[in-house]
Amino acid sequence: MLQLRPNCECCNRDLPPAALDARICSFECTFCADCTDTRLQGHCPNCGGELVRRPVRPADKLVNKPASTERVFKPQGCAPASLAAQMKP
């Protein structure tokens, strides 16, 4: 089951469970559409995978299967995976 993380890892923007602008990779790294399009060129900076629109869980299902409250944020910002890999020693 998807965690539905509550924020963008790049800019820390809130992404509630019903957010249509939330994007995820296959590992559920979560980003907003703006960061996905402008900073990341559609690829996860962590794994290099494709970022796609996160599905919306029906509100009645959130009662028993709530979204995650754990925030993941990279205060240094984020870069596309290919650039991040080049920067590692």
Side-chain angles (χ1 to χ4, degrees), residues 12 15-16 36 38 41 46-47 50 52 55 61 72-73 75 77 80 89:
N12 206 28
L15 295 170
T36 296
T38 62
Q41 290 74 52
N46 303 319
C47 69
E50 178 184 18
V52 298
K61 302 297 183 194
V72 176
F73 176 57

Side-chain angles (χ1 to χ4, degrees), residues 26-79:
S26 63
F27 292 99
E28 295 188 59
C29 301
T30 304
F31 303 94
C32 69
D34 185 50
C35 287
T36 296
D37 296 340
T38 62
R39 296 182 185 183
L40 304 173
Q41 290 74 52
H43 296 306
C44 178
N46 303 319
C47 69
E50 178 184 18
L51 292 168
V52 298
R53 189 174 80 78
R54 181 180 73 189
V56 173
R57 185 171 299 155
D60 63 323
K61 302 297 183 194
L62 285 168
V63 174
N64 292 324
K65 306 287 185 189
S68 173
T69 58
E70 180 181 344
R71 297 180 80 86
V72 176
F73 176 57
K74 298 179 179 181
Q76 75 278 15
C78 56

Side-chain angles (χ1 to χ4, degrees), residues 2-22:
L2 293 176
Q3 293 177 358
L4 302 178
R5 295 178 187 167
N7 66 302
C8 174
E9 289 185 27
C10 281
C11 68
N12 206 28
R13 179 177 167 183
D14 289 339
L15 295 170
L20 296 178
D21 61 340

